[in-house]
Every structure is written in C-alpha cells, then in structure tokens.
C-alpha cells in the first residue's frame, strides 16, 4: 500500500474526528442505555479535567521517552476509554471514558 494513501486515510480520519461527527450517535446510544442526558452533558466536563490533568505530564513523557512512544500511549489510552464506554454504558463508565478521552492530549504533548 502506498505511503501517500496511508497518510491520506489518516488525515481524513483525523479531520473527521476533529469535527466530532460521532457525538450525536454516541449520545443516542447512551440515551438508549438509560444514561440520562444530564449525566451525558455533565460527563463531558471530565474530558476537560482529563486534558488539564494530563497536559503537563504528556510533554514530559514525550521529552523523556520520545514522541512516537507518547503517540502510541495516547492511542492506547483513548482506545481504553472507548472500550470502557461500550462495555460500561453507565454514568460512571461514561465519566471515566470521557476522562480517558481527555488523556488524548498525549498527541499535543508529543507534537513539536
């Protein structure tokens, strides 16, 4: 597979992720799982808390262990948050998932 194709696909995925096209679908899924709309909106605060908590350590981690390692760790943490959201669609699961999603700042800490 050509490198340009792989890069193009990754850019498209990153662009789509930045538009947050998944949020309406995710909200409907959580409402179907009996998580209240109030709790869904309140849980979004944990995303910001996660970014605040992880922002400085991610820069240090990237400097200490390398940008590539930091990016991989960020992907793994975000994947853990998504898995948690799917397996535990409760108020606590949504809050923890959003918190782990905020740890995605491993990407910004790794960028130079």
């Amino acid at each position: 597979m050509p490198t340009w194709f792989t890069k193009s696909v990754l850019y498209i995925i990153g662009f789509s992720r930045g538009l947050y096209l998944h949020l309406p679908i995710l909200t409907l899924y959580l409402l179907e799982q009996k998580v209240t709309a109030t709790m869904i909106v309140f849980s979004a605060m944990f995303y910001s808390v996660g970014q605040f908590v992880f922002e400085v350590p991610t820069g240090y981690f990237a400097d200490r262990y390398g940008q590539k390692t930091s990016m991989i760790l960020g992907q793994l943490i975000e994947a853990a948050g998504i898995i948690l959201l799917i397996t535990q669609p409760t108020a606590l699961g949504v809050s923890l998932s959003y918190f782990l999603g905020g740890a995605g700042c491993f990407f910004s800490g790794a960028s130079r």
Side-chain angles (χ1 to χ4, degrees):
M1 188 173 294
T3 305
W4 65 268
F5 180 76
T6 306
K7 285 184 178 181
S8 299
V9 169
L10 292 175
Y11 283 127
I12 290 169
I13 290 170
F15 179 74
S16 299
R17 184 174 167 258
L19 291 177
Y20 296 101
L21 298 174
H22 64 282
L23 283 182
I25 298 167
L26 177 63
T27 303
L28 292 174
Y29 169 74
L30 292 171
L31 288 172
E32 184 68 27
Q33 299 298 319
K34 307 296 186 235
V35 178
T36 64
T38 304
M39 193 60 212
I40 295 169
V41 172
F42 182 72
S43 294
M45 175 190 68
F46 289 103
Y47 179 83
S48 298
V49 170
Q51 282 189 323
F52 178 76
V53 168
F54 287 108
E55 190 64 43
V56 172
T58 58
Y60 174 77
F61 187 88
D63 290 343
R64 178 105 170 135
Y65 299 104
Q67 179 181 11
K68 185 177 180 180
T69 305
S70 182
M71 299 287 277
I72 291 170
L73 185 60
Q75 289 286 356
L76 291 174
I77 291 173
E78 279 198 0
I82 292 169
I83 291 169
L84 180 66
L85 183 65
I86 292 170
T87 60
Q88 298 294 321
T90 62
L92 180 62
V94 172
S95 298
L96 288 174
S97 174
Y98 275 56
F99 181 76
L100 290 175
C105 65
F106 269 91
F107 305 117
S108 65
S111 59
R112 295 175 189 221

